[in-house]
Amino acid sequence: KTQERGLLSDMAGVLPPPSPAACKPVFHFPPVAQYNTNTCWSFAATSYYESEIYRLSGKKIKLSEMWTVYFEYLEKVRRFVRERGDSLVAEGGESNAINRIWKAYGIVPAEAYPGHAAGKEKLDHALLIEEITHYLEYVKSNDLWDEGDVLNHITVILNKTLGVPPQKFVYNGREMTPQEFLRNETPLNMDDYGDVMS
């Protein structure tokens, strides 16, 4: 019964390749620095889906990591309000956020949403998470559980640091929404993917 519940792997006979040259290279974009964001989960999972887009269609589309981060913050705060402060709002996350967020909000290419305020070159969320944390402490200590009001305040904070996410943008000469981009420009069906964590 214990074995039936466990995920087992047998690596007997699996040997490492003799050298890097023996491996077939696969497409990937150059690594992207996350700088001071603590959002490695979004960078790693976004890279995976970029590889999937290429595998399925041959398209090389650089996606916005910060798009997912922006909306994951909103969803974490929504849960915080609904659970009256009994859930965590922090920078860390899991790769399953990509699937949830893209289904709800779509996705955009990196050029449409770089995820930092104008004039900034490097991502830095130190003040962002500090401001969000202080505001939510104020919300909790004063029982201010109006979801719309709290989300409006969080949106102002996010917009200041990450920039305003576009409702529409131009890609390959055509105006589209983030949902249209996901549906029409990528081959991804988000229902085809599941997350496993140990």
Side-chain angles (χ1 to χ4, degrees):
K1 288 188 175 181
T2 303
Q3 270 191 330
E4 289 174 358
R5 292 188 208 152
L7 179 63
L8 303 176
S9 176
D10 182 3
M11 299 300 286
V14 178
L15 302 173
S19 71
C23 299
K24 179 183 174 186
V26 295
F27 162 75
H28 63 86
F29 287 109
V32 178
Q34 73 175 43
Y35 295 109
N36 188 20
T37 66
N38 291 322
T39 57
C40 55
W41 55 271
S42 182
F43 283 84
T46 301
S47 176
Y48 169 76
Y49 284 107
E50 290 167 346
S51 297
E52 278 293 276
I53 289 170
Y54 180 77
R55 180 182 70 83
L56 294 168
S57 70
K59 293 182 179 181
K60 297 179 180 179
I61 304 175
K62 181 72 195 93
L63 301 172
S64 171
E65 294 87 3
M66 289 298 108
W67 175 269
T68 308
V69 171
Y70 183 102
F71 290 104
E72 178 68 344
Y73 270 123
L74 283 183
E75 293 306 318
K76 285 180 178 182
V77 170
R78 187 187 315 277
R79 180 177 173 188
F80 179 89
V81 171
R82 290 179 179 178
E83 295 184 2
R84 298 301 188 254
D86 287 335
S87 65
L88 180 66
V89 178
E91 294 171 289
E94 297 295 339
S95 60
N96 64 10
I98 299 281
N99 205 297
R100 284 186 294 99
I101 297 302
W102 293 8
K103 281 181 178 180
Y105 297 98
I107 182 58
V108 300
E111 64 204 43
Y113 190 66
H116 50 71
K120 302 285 184 182
E121 291 183 19
K122 294 182 179 178
L123 300 168
D124 187 347
H125 294 184
L127 293 179
L128 171 69
I129 193 60
E130 185 178 317
E131 195 170 349
I132 288 173
T133 301
H134 288 316
Y135 174 66
L136 293 180
E137 287 170 355
Y138 174 80
V139 166
K140 187 172 183 176
S141 64
N142 290 283
D143 284 329
L144 302 173
W145 301 117
D146 182 301
E147 185 175 301
D149 189 48
V150 172
L151 288 174
N152 285 339
H153 279 80
I154 291 297
T155 298
V156 170
I157 295 169
L158 292 171
N159 289 351
K160 183 173 63 174
T161 302
L162 302 180
V164 178
Q167 293 181 3
K168 290 186 176 183
F169 59 95
V170 175
Y171 184 77
N172 286 341
R174 291 186 11 253
E175 186 177 71
M176 61 189 72
T177 67
Q179 291 85 356
E180 289 168 338
F181 177 79
L182 176 63
R183 186 171 58 249
N184 301 327
E185 297 296 328
T186 82
L188 299 174
N189 175 0
M190 301 313 292
D191 289 330
D192 288 344
Y193 299 93
D195 291 87
V196 178
M197 184 193 315
S198 65

